[in-house]
Amino acid sequence: MRRCLTACWRGILPFAVVLISISSTRVVAQTLAHTHRPDINNGRTIFNNGCIACHGSTGKGAPQTSTEFKRPDTFPEFTRCDQTTPEADSAWKAVITHGGPSRGFSTIMPSFGELLSSNEIDDVIAYIRGYCTNPHWPRGELNLPRAMVTEKAFPEDEFVMTTAVNASGAPGAKTDFIHEQSFGTKSQLEVDVPWDLQDQNHSYNSHIGDMTIGWKRVMFSNLRTGSILALQGGIIPPTGSTKLGGNGTTVFEPFLSFDQLFPTNTWVQFQMGADLPRHPNITPQSLYYYTAIGQTLSHDHRLGREWSPMVEFLANRDLKDGAKTDWDVLPEMQVTISRRQHIRADVGVRTPFTNTAGRTPTVNFYLLWDWADGKFWEGWK
Ligand code: HEC
């Protein structure tokens, strides 16, 4: 532990400096979503005139006897915070402005882009938000685009398949199947099962690696300042073979994630953690700090398809005196591919730039399915 004191602090310090300087910019990051202050009273009038017939005065849907349509599975209950808070205002604004089909939803949800101004749509959204009365749920705006490696702070309901293929050296690929599920207002469970494919003297060998089970909890989130902070504790049992890169001992992995969104839709995500094996003589303790900086671009006043170019800076270092830090860079592009934006893809290249001996560049790819927003095959047309 004594050894860690100097080594750890040298590692943590630059990270802390960046965190503090970012949080001091919070003042600038006010009024994230709106250019005008939404008028909730006006929103109520609009809702009572244009929406109540279908969505009902309670926000749970008008009585089935008075509505002619059959409710789609995805029909919203605005009182259910678990359903509404993960949705960003922009997702709702797209549906209200252009109608259900613009996001792969039912044609029953009409478009109001011709009837209501952009400000009026913001007003009615602000009114609908009032149906969720628990302010502790983190808001979907803070669910930033997932980076390839850096884990975000927002608790997710998603399934991700992510692959890294060696771009040089011995052919090989590592694929992770990741299931994430939020529960309660602030928590998330995660299971990650890695699957490796390696070429060993021209015969391919595939096997399961060390899996991870993790529990994340949001400690702080604020839509006004655009910030969210979460802690995660993970356990990595030695399910993989040590001959093929497995740890050979159970590893505990605590980490912290801090994400900051700016009004320009630029964002920064930090993750910092440690891998603490039960038997450090088998696998050394190590520290990592990851940063992803990116920008989300979207046409049609941010209502269209989202493109998120980003770059990750990834540092790993063993907790030993004199150990060097391995730095990698990973430029990448994430894009929403389904109309509903619940399926996303990301592609990038990870290149080592310090201690490059024995470390190869990889081509990385993932496919992400936000399953709370609908079935995989729904919402494309
Ligand atoms: C004719 C009936 C009808 C009217 C009128 C109507 N809606 Fe809807 N709305 C629906 C239906 C049906 C859905 C569910 C669509 C689906 O899940 O496929 C929906 C879905 C929504 C959603 C959820 C979109 C999402 O991302 O899950 C929002 C928000 C919404 N409506 C807002 C409004 C507002 C605001 C108004 C009034 C300005 C309004 N609706 C008027 C029928 C209606």
Side-chain angles (χ1 to χ4, degrees):
M1 217 49 218
R2 177 104 157 278
R3 182 181 285 167
C4 179
L5 273 180
T6 40
C8 294
W9 277 108
R10 218 175 294 148
I12 291 167
L13 215 62
F15 190 82
V17 170
V18 179
L19 257 189
I20 291 162
S21 50
I22 285 283
S23 53
S24 62
T25 62
R26 282 173 15 182
V27 216
V28 196
Q30 284 174 4
T31 57
L32 267 183
H34 300 289
T35 44
H36 94 291
R37 206 194 178 86
D39 177 346
I40 293 184
N41 286 326
N42 188 38
R44 180 187 297 114
T45 313
I46 295 168
F47 189 84
N48 289 343
N49 291 329
C51 322
I52 214 168
C54 299
H55 289 289
S57 57
T58 58
K60 294 182 187 174
Q64 301 258 21
T65 45
S66 72
T67 48
E68 307 244 310
F69 60 87
K70 189 177 163 291
R71 287 187 188 176
D73 295 342
T74 42
F75 185 77
E77 272 188 40
F78 295 132
T79 47
R80 290 211 28 201
C81 305
D82 60 330
Q83 290 181 0
T84 59
T85 52
E87 298 300 329
D89 280 355
S90 61
W92 279 1
K93 193 165 182 175
V95 171
I96 299 167
T97 309
H98 300 302
S102 72
R103 286 283 172 113
F105 287 112
S106 159
T107 49
I108 306 164
M109 171 62 202
S111 69
F112 289 90
E114 313 248 289
L115 289 167
L116 301 173
S117 69
S118 169
N119 284 353
E120 286 170 325
I121 293 175
D122 291 342
D123 294 347
V124 73
I125 291 174
Y127 173 70
I128 301 175
R129 289 281 175 206
Y131 282 114
C132 162
T133 50
N134 180 341
H136 298 297
W137 291 82
R139 274 282 296 276
E141 276 78 357
L142 303 177
N143 187 2
L144 303 179
R146 181 190 199 279
M148 197 71 73
V149 179
T150 311
E151 274 211 39
K152 61 178 151 189
F154 194 87
E156 268 283 21
D157 287 317
E158 65 188 20
F159 181 79
V160 184
M161 198 188 89
T162 172
T163 299
V165 182
N166 294 348
S168 64
K174 180 171 181 261
T175 303
D176 284 85
F177 299 90
I178 306 167
H179 175 85
E180 294 176 337
Q181 179 152 12
S182 65
F183 65 94
T185 46
K186 292 182 179 176
S187 299
Q188 175 206 280
L189 272 177
E190 171 184 348
V191 179
D192 176 341
V193 181
W195 181 73
D196 283 10
L197 189 66
Q198 286 176 2
D199 177 14
Q200 296 194 313
N201 304 323
H202 304 292
S203 78
Y204 271 94
N205 186 321
S206 82
H207 61 99
I208 299 285
D210 292 341
M211 58 186 276
T212 307
I213 303 158
W215 181 67
K216 183 193 284 172
R217 182 156 174 94
V218 175
M219 306 310 290
F220 165 85
S221 84
N222 188 323
L223 181 62
R224 197 177 56 79
T225 61
S227 343
I228 179 166
L229 174 84
L231 295 179
Q232 176 158 323
I235 288 194
I236 309 171
T239 48
S241 154
T242 42
K243 287 201 197 91
L244 300 160
N247 288 321
T249 175
T250 301
V251 175
F252 301 96
E253 187 199 22
F255 72 73
L256 171 155
S257 293
F258 175 77
D259 302 351
Q260 176 65 47
L261 172 66
F262 299 101
T264 48
N265 255 1
T266 312
W267 40 258
V268 192
Q269 305 182 27
F270 293 107
Q271 183 195 359
M272 169 175 167
D275 281 331
L276 306 172
R278 213 161 87 84
H279 301 286
N281 52 328
I282 303 179
T283 290
Q285 298 183 335
S286 59
L287 274 183
Y288 58 86
Y289 13 96
Y290 300 156
T291 306
I293 301 172
Q295 166 79 41
T296 301
L297 305 163
S298 171
H299 66 280
D300 186 20
H301 306 281
R302 297 187 183 177
L303 304 183
R305 183 187 298 279
E306 288 182 357
W307 296 87
S308 304
M310 56 183 126
V311 58
E312 288 181 81
F313 300 94
L314 308 165
N316 287 281
R317 145 183 229 291
D318 284 350
L319 270 181
K320 284 189 196 149
D321 282 337
K324 296 224 176 74
T325 307
D326 291 345
W327 278 97
D328 292 3
V329 258
L330 202 176
E332 66 207 86
M333 173 71 91
Q334 195 224 50
V335 61
T336 57
I337 54 177
S338 65
R339 204 169 250 283
R340 193 169 292 173
Q341 305 201 341
H342 70 318
I343 313 286
R344 294 167 185 250
D346 186 16
V347 60
V349 177
R350 177 174 181 164
T351 313
F353 74 87
T354 62
N355 301 338
T356 48
R359 305 199 302 124
T360 50
T362 53
V363 176
N364 293 48
F365 171 82
Y366 76 62
L367 193 69
L368 178 160
W369 168 31
D370 187 347
W371 46 262
D373 274 353
K375 301 193 181 79
F376 191 90
W377 303 114
E378 279 176 9
W380 288 81
K381 286 198 284 186

